[in-house]
Amino acid sequence: FRLKPLGGGVKIPAPSARPTSFGLWYRSGEAMAGVGGSCRLTTLFAQYVQQTRAQNSFSSNFSKRMLLLKVEDNLRKGTFQIPLHQSDCHAFGMPREGQHVHGGVIATVVEDATTMHICANDARSRKAVTTDLNLSFLGVGKIGRTLQIDTTILKIGGVLGVAEAYVKDTSTGKLIAVGRHTMMFIGEDNSATEYAHSLNSVFDV
């Protein structure tokens, strides 16, 4: 299914679509397995946006502008996008040279996106911690452009989950970085969505 974003991060429904409990949209006829028939990745993405802002997390710098565009192949593939802002530039970049995004920004976005994707594919909905994250940079992201992060699940086991990510510039299609993220599942069943379940109503911050 595809989530259709409107300017400013607001999402509008596609035909025959209906909202999830968090105000994200999915095609009702193509919904993935999850609580209430909604896609687990959209649920975790909504929680990511809410929780990072509520806790003033480092990731709130990115969650406020990241979009989840689509989920495909029975929840095995996901597509995210994020526009690059001036605050994302490398410390030693010069405006006349065309400012480039800091590598730490790309690393954080890749880690956050693959974390959500891995946890969404765990049938027990557990939390997970990083055991390995590697990233190879093949180009530079430029301030003012938009990055697309395509994530793919490689393995989901009883203890570990592995996902890869390809980061590209949406304007040129150029591949910027390739990463692989391995996580170890921890905690009790359904602990990944514990924060969302603790809310009595939609917590829009």
Side-chain angles (χ1 to χ4, degrees):
F1 61 86
R2 293 176 180 270
L3 303 175
K4 295 191 174 181
L6 193 63
V10 179
K11 299 169 185 64
I12 58 175
S16 303
R18 62 191 182 91
T20 69
S21 59
F22 292 93
L24 296 175
W25 294 88
Y26 66 93
R27 290 184 184 275
S28 57
E30 302 175 272
M32 302 300 173
V35 178
S38 63
C39 171
R40 285 197 297 267
L41 185 51
T42 61
T43 299
L44 285 174
F45 180 76
Q47 177 176 302
Y48 166 73
V49 173
Q50 296 167 341
Q51 190 169 357
T52 53
R53 297 186 193 184
Q55 297 181 345
N56 196 27
S57 163
F58 173 74
S59 290
S60 65
N61 293 305
F62 314 109
S63 65
K64 66 183 66 174
R65 47 193 158 106
M66 188 186 291
L67 296 174
L68 170 59
L69 295 185
K70 60 182 178 181
V71 184
E72 299 177 308
D73 193 16
N74 196 30
L75 202 57
R76 307 298 287 186
K77 296 180 181 293
T79 299
F80 302 79
Q81 282 188 359
I82 185 168
L84 297 177
H85 290 178
Q86 181 64 35
S87 59
D88 301 326
C89 71
H90 194 282
F92 300 104
M94 297 296 290
R96 67 175 179 273
E97 301 169 349
Q99 291 180 310
H100 300 152
V101 64
H102 194 290
V105 171
I106 295 178
T108 300
V109 171
V110 166
E111 181 175 6
D112 286 357
T114 51
T115 293
M116 288 183 278
H117 203 171
I118 289 171
C119 289
N121 275 271
D122 177 34
R124 296 170 58 185
S125 297
R126 293 168 292 175
K127 294 179 181 178
V129 293
T130 298
T131 60
D132 183 69
L133 177 65
N134 62 76
L135 198 62
S136 297
F137 292 94
L138 308 175
V140 293
K142 296 185 177 181
I143 300 304
R145 302 279 182 86
T146 296
L147 296 183
Q148 179 166 308
I149 305 94
D150 294 311
T151 59
T152 302
I153 296 297
L154 300 180
K155 176 185 177 181
I156 296 293
V159 177
L160 298 177
V162 185
E164 66 179 2
Y166 288 82
V167 182
K168 65 181 181 181
D169 186 321
T170 60
S171 299
T172 64
K174 182 179 179 180
L175 190 61
I176 303 298
V178 177
R180 179 172 292 196
H181 190 191
T182 302
M183 305 193 77
M184 180 175 67
F185 296 113
I186 61 171
E188 300 177 353
D189 292 2
N190 300 313
S191 58
T193 53
E194 180 180 5
Y195 178 84
H197 292 160
S198 70
L199 304 178
N200 294 322
S201 61
V202 174
F203 185 39
D204 185 9
V205 294

